[in-house]
Amino acid sequence: EAGVTQSPTHLIKTRGQQATLRCSPISGHTSVYWYQQALGLGLQFLLWYDEGEERNRGNFPPRFSGRQFPNYSSELNVNALELEDSALYLCASGWGETQYFGPGTRLLVL
Amino acid sequence: KQEVTQIPAALSVPEGENLVLNCSFTDSAIYNLQWFRQDPGKGLTSLLLIQSSQREQTSGRLNASLDKSSGRSTLYIAASQPGDSATYLCAVKDSGYALNFGKGTSLLVTP
């Protein structure tokens, strides 16, 4: 069974640009969670999608947004990039109370 | 708001030692607690999941215990090996929708 996949593995952008990160959940999982892991900080919850709808978001500004497609894959969009957005972005898919994590996308903002 | 704390932040031990990593959480109304391993720059690997009704879980050289009433969990690693070097994260699932993570314990096992 394939695990959670994320693309790209690395992304380099400059301040003010937009970044798009992608996630494919485990087959059969309808929930996708996005987390940010910035240097020196713990994993912070960003967004939760389920059945195509945004169910909840963490304490992040509106320039962090996303969507979930009919096949349950998901995109995370970060607009107007700032230096402090540099981080590892992890996607997880869920079934019941368990979440399974992908390998992450490393975003570097210059 | 659930707060998860892990102690120590970093640990260096010689190969072969048994060691204990600690995790504490502020709200005891949890569904489960999970221990993850993270290698540098990589995603998370789930090690052990303890449901709120359980006291401990074991997998190979790893044993995790849960004391929900006191808001504590420990991860015990027996006979440590250099390959165990990684960051270990504790995460709590409560009535919210996401996992609440501690900042992790960075473990270095030296040959």
PDB file of all heavy atoms in Angstrom, chain B residues 19-34:
ATOM      1  N   LEU B  19      17.675   3.997  27.847  1.00  0.00           N
ATOM      2  CA  LEU B  19      17.359   5.399  28.086  1.00  0.00           C
ATOM      3  C   LEU B  19      15.855   5.648  28.096  1.00  0.00           C
ATOM      4  O   LEU B  19      15.076   4.845  27.572  1.00  0.00           O
ATOM      5  CB  LEU B  19      18.049   6.285  27.058  1.00  0.00           C
ATOM      6  CG  LEU B  19      17.810   5.963  25.595  1.00  0.00           C
ATOM      7  CD1 LEU B  19      16.756   6.879  25.028  1.00  0.00           C
ATOM      8  CD2 LEU B  19      19.103   6.103  24.794  1.00  0.00           C
ATOM      9  N   VAL B  20      15.499   6.776  28.711  1.00  0.00           N
ATOM     10  CA  VAL B  20      14.097   7.147  28.871  1.00  0.00           C
ATOM     11  C   VAL B  20      13.891   8.569  28.374  1.00  0.00           C
ATOM     12  O   VAL B  20      14.611   9.490  28.772  1.00  0.00           O
ATOM     13  CB  VAL B  20      13.670   7.046  30.352  1.00  0.00           C
ATOM     14  CG1 VAL B  20      12.246   7.575  30.525  1.00  0.00           C
ATOM     15  CG2 VAL B  20      13.773   5.613  30.835  1.00  0.00           C
ATOM     16  N   LEU B  21      12.900   8.727  27.512  1.00  0.00           N
ATOM     17  CA  LEU B  21      12.489  10.051  27.046  1.00  0.00           C
ATOM     18  C   LEU B  21      11.131  10.363  27.677  1.00  0.00           C
ATOM     19  O   LEU B  21      10.270   9.494  27.765  1.00  0.00           O
ATOM     20  CB  LEU B  21      12.381  10.079  25.517  1.00  0.00           C
ATOM     21  CG  LEU B  21      13.597   9.574  24.738  1.00  0.00           C
ATOM     22  CD1 LEU B  21      13.360   9.703  23.245  1.00  0.00           C
ATOM     23  CD2 LEU B  21      14.859  10.291  25.154  1.00  0.00           C
ATOM     24  N   ASN B  22      10.967  11.613  28.067  1.00  0.00           N
ATOM     25  CA  ASN B  22       9.762  12.011  28.788  1.00  0.00           C
ATOM     26  C   ASN B  22       8.893  12.960  27.987  1.00  0.00           C
ATOM     27  O   ASN B  22       9.397  13.822  27.250  1.00  0.00           O
ATOM     28  CB  ASN B  22      10.138  12.689  30.103  1.00  0.00           C
ATOM     29  CG  ASN B  22      10.866  11.753  31.027  1.00  0.00           C
ATOM     30  OD1 ASN B  22      10.279  10.806  31.539  1.00  0.00           O
ATOM     31  ND2 ASN B  22      12.146  11.998  31.225  1.00  0.00           N
ATOM     32  N   CYS B  23       7.587  12.817  28.184  1.00  0.00           N
ATOM     33  CA  CYS B  23       6.609  13.681  27.538  1.00  0.00           C
ATOM     34  C   CYS B  23       5.527  13.986  28.564  1.00  0.00           C
ATOM     35  O   CYS B  23       5.048  13.081  29.253  1.00  0.00           O
ATOM     36  CB  CYS B  23       6.014  12.962  26.323  1.00  0.00           C
ATOM     37  SG  CYS B  23       4.615  13.794  25.539  1.00  0.00           S
ATOM     38  N   SER B  24       5.152  15.252  28.668  1.00  0.00           N
ATOM     39  CA  SER B  24       4.047  15.616  29.556  1.00  0.00           C
ATOM     40  C   SER B  24       3.042  16.472  28.787  1.00  0.00           C
ATOM     41  O   SER B  24       3.409  17.180  27.843  1.00  0.00           O
ATOM     42  CB  SER B  24       4.555  16.362  30.794  1.00  0.00           C
ATOM     43  OG  SER B  24       5.175  17.565  30.422  1.00  0.00           O
ATOM     44  N   PHE B  25       1.786  16.367  29.189  1.00  0.00           N
ATOM     45  CA  PHE B  25       0.726  17.136  28.526  1.00  0.00           C
ATOM     46  C   PHE B  25      -0.209  17.708  29.577  1.00  0.00           C
ATOM     47  O   PHE B  25      -0.340  17.157  30.681  1.00  0.00           O
ATOM     48  CB  PHE B  25      -0.028  16.275  27.508  1.00  0.00           C
ATOM     49  CG  PHE B  25      -0.433  14.917  27.993  1.00  0.00           C
ATOM     50  CD1 PHE B  25      -1.691  14.698  28.518  1.00  0.00           C
ATOM     51  CD2 PHE B  25       0.458  13.846  27.918  1.00  0.00           C
ATOM     52  CE1 PHE B  25      -2.071  13.438  28.958  1.00  0.00           C
ATOM     53  CE2 PHE B  25       0.092  12.585  28.355  1.00  0.00           C
ATOM     54  CZ  PHE B  25      -1.174  12.376  28.878  1.00  0.00           C
ATOM     55  N   THR B  26      -0.847  18.829  29.242  1.00  0.00           N
ATOM     56  CA  THR B  26      -1.582  19.580  30.267  1.00  0.00           C
ATOM     57  C   THR B  26      -3.041  19.154  30.414  1.00  0.00           C
ATOM     58  O   THR B  26      -3.611  19.304  31.491  1.00  0.00           O
ATOM     59  CB  THR B  26      -1.531  21.082  29.945  1.00  0.00           C
ATOM     60  OG1 THR B  26      -1.993  21.286  28.603  1.00  0.00           O
ATOM     61  CG2 THR B  26      -0.109  21.617  30.070  1.00  0.00           C
ATOM     62  N   ASP B  27      -3.658  18.651  29.365  1.00  0.00           N
ATOM     63  CA  ASP B  27      -5.058  18.258  29.426  1.00  0.00           C
ATOM     64  C   ASP B  27      -5.149  16.741  29.316  1.00  0.00           C
ATOM     65  O   ASP B  27      -4.788  16.173  28.286  1.00  0.00           O
ATOM     66  CB  ASP B  27      -5.836  18.924  28.284  1.00  0.00           C
ATOM     67  CG  ASP B  27      -7.330  18.688  28.376  1.00  0.00           C
ATOM     68  OD1 ASP B  27      -7.765  17.803  29.158  1.00  0.00           O
ATOM     69  OD2 ASP B  27      -8.069  19.380  27.665  1.00  0.00           O
ATOM     70  N   SER B  28      -5.626  16.107  30.368  1.00  0.00           N
ATOM     71  CA  SER B  28      -5.620  14.637  30.408  1.00  0.00           C
ATOM     72  C   SER B  28      -6.756  14.012  29.589  1.00  0.00           C
ATOM     73  O   SER B  28      -6.806  12.797  29.436  1.00  0.00           O
ATOM     74  CB  SER B  28      -5.719  14.159  31.863  1.00  0.00           C
ATOM     75  OG  SER B  28      -6.937  14.606  32.433  1.00  0.00           O
ATOM     76  N   ALA B  29      -7.641  14.822  29.049  1.00  0.00           N
ATOM     77  CA  ALA B  29      -8.749  14.292  28.239  1.00  0.00           C
ATOM     78  C   ALA B  29      -8.266  14.029  26.812  1.00  0.00           C
ATOM     79  O   ALA B  29      -8.580  14.794  25.894  1.00  0.00           O
ATOM     80  CB  ALA B  29      -9.914  15.285  28.247  1.00  0.00           C
ATOM     81  N   ILE B  30      -7.516  12.950  26.652  1.00  0.00           N
ATOM     82  CA  ILE B  30      -6.928  12.652  25.352  1.00  0.00           C
ATOM     83  C   ILE B  30      -7.523  11.380  24.771  1.00  0.00           C
ATOM     84  O   ILE B  30      -8.041  10.526  25.504  1.00  0.00           O
ATOM     85  CB  ILE B  30      -5.392  12.510  25.431  1.00  0.00           C
ATOM     86  CG1 ILE B  30      -5.001  11.282  26.256  1.00  0.00           C
ATOM     87  CG2 ILE B  30      -4.771  13.776  26.002  1.00  0.00           C
ATOM     88  CD1 ILE B  30      -3.520  10.943  26.163  1.00  0.00           C
ATOM     89  N   TYR B  31      -7.458  11.260  23.440  1.00  0.00           N
ATOM     90  CA  TYR B  31      -7.865  10.026  22.775  1.00  0.00           C
ATOM     91  C   TYR B  31      -6.698   9.049  22.667  1.00  0.00           C
ATOM     92  O   TYR B  31      -6.850   7.851  22.851  1.00  0.00           O
ATOM     93  CB  TYR B  31      -8.398  10.327  21.377  1.00  0.00           C
ATOM     94  CG  TYR B  31      -9.766  10.945  21.355  1.00  0.00           C
ATOM     95  CD1 TYR B  31     -10.011  12.116  20.659  1.00  0.00           C
ATOM     96  CD2 TYR B  31     -10.824  10.366  22.045  1.00  0.00           C
ATOM     97  CE1 TYR B  31     -11.270  12.681  20.638  1.00  0.00           C
ATOM     98  CE2 TYR B  31     -12.080  10.927  22.033  1.00  0.00           C
ATOM     99  CZ  TYR B  31     -12.301  12.090  21.326  1.00  0.00           C
ATOM    100  OH  TYR B  31     -13.542  12.659  21.312  1.00  0.00           O
ATOM    101  N   ASN B  32      -5.545   9.579  22.306  1.00  0.00           N
ATOM    102  CA  ASN B  32      -4.365   8.734  22.208  1.00  0.00           C
ATOM    103  C   ASN B  32      -3.111   9.576  22.268  1.00  0.00           C
ATOM    104  O   ASN B  32      -3.155  10.806  22.207  1.00  0.00           O
ATOM    105  CB  ASN B  32      -4.390   7.869  20.931  1.00  0.00           C
ATOM    106  CG  ASN B  32      -4.423   8.698  19.653  1.00  0.00           C
ATOM    107  OD1 ASN B  32      -3.638   9.622  19.487  1.00  0.00           O
ATOM    108  ND2 ASN B  32      -5.307   8.341  18.739  1.00  0.00           N
ATOM    109  N   LEU B  33      -1.997   8.899  22.397  1.00  0.00           N
ATOM    110  CA  LEU B  33      -0.683   9.540  22.394  1.00  0.00           C
ATOM    111  C   LEU B  33       0.206   8.718  21.479  1.00  0.00           C
ATOM    112  O   LEU B  33       0.176   7.491  21.497  1.00  0.00           O
ATOM    113  CB  LEU B  33      -0.101   9.592  23.812  1.00  0.00           C
ATOM    114  CG  LEU B  33       1.243  10.306  23.970  1.00  0.00           C
ATOM    115  CD1 LEU B  33       1.289  11.048  25.302  1.00  0.00           C
ATOM    116  CD2 LEU B  33       2.408   9.352  23.848  1.00  0.00           C
ATOM    117  N   GLN B  34       1.007   9.420  20.694  1.00  0.00           N
ATOM    118  CA  GLN B  34       1.835   8.734  19.703  1.00  0.00           C
ATOM    119  C   GLN B  34       3.267   9.229  19.803  1.00  0.00           C
ATOM    120  O   GLN B  34       3.520  10.421  20.016  1.00  0.00           O
ATOM    121  CB  GLN B  34       1.261   9.027  18.297  1.00  0.00           C
ATOM    122  CG  GLN B  34       1.693   8.104  17.214  1.00  0.00           C
ATOM    123  CD  GLN B  34       0.781   8.206  15.985  1.00  0.00           C
ATOM    124  OE1 GLN B  34      -0.152   8.976  15.952  1.00  0.00           O
ATOM    125  NE2 GLN B  34       1.069   7.422  14.965  1.00  0.00           N
TER     126      GLN B  34
END
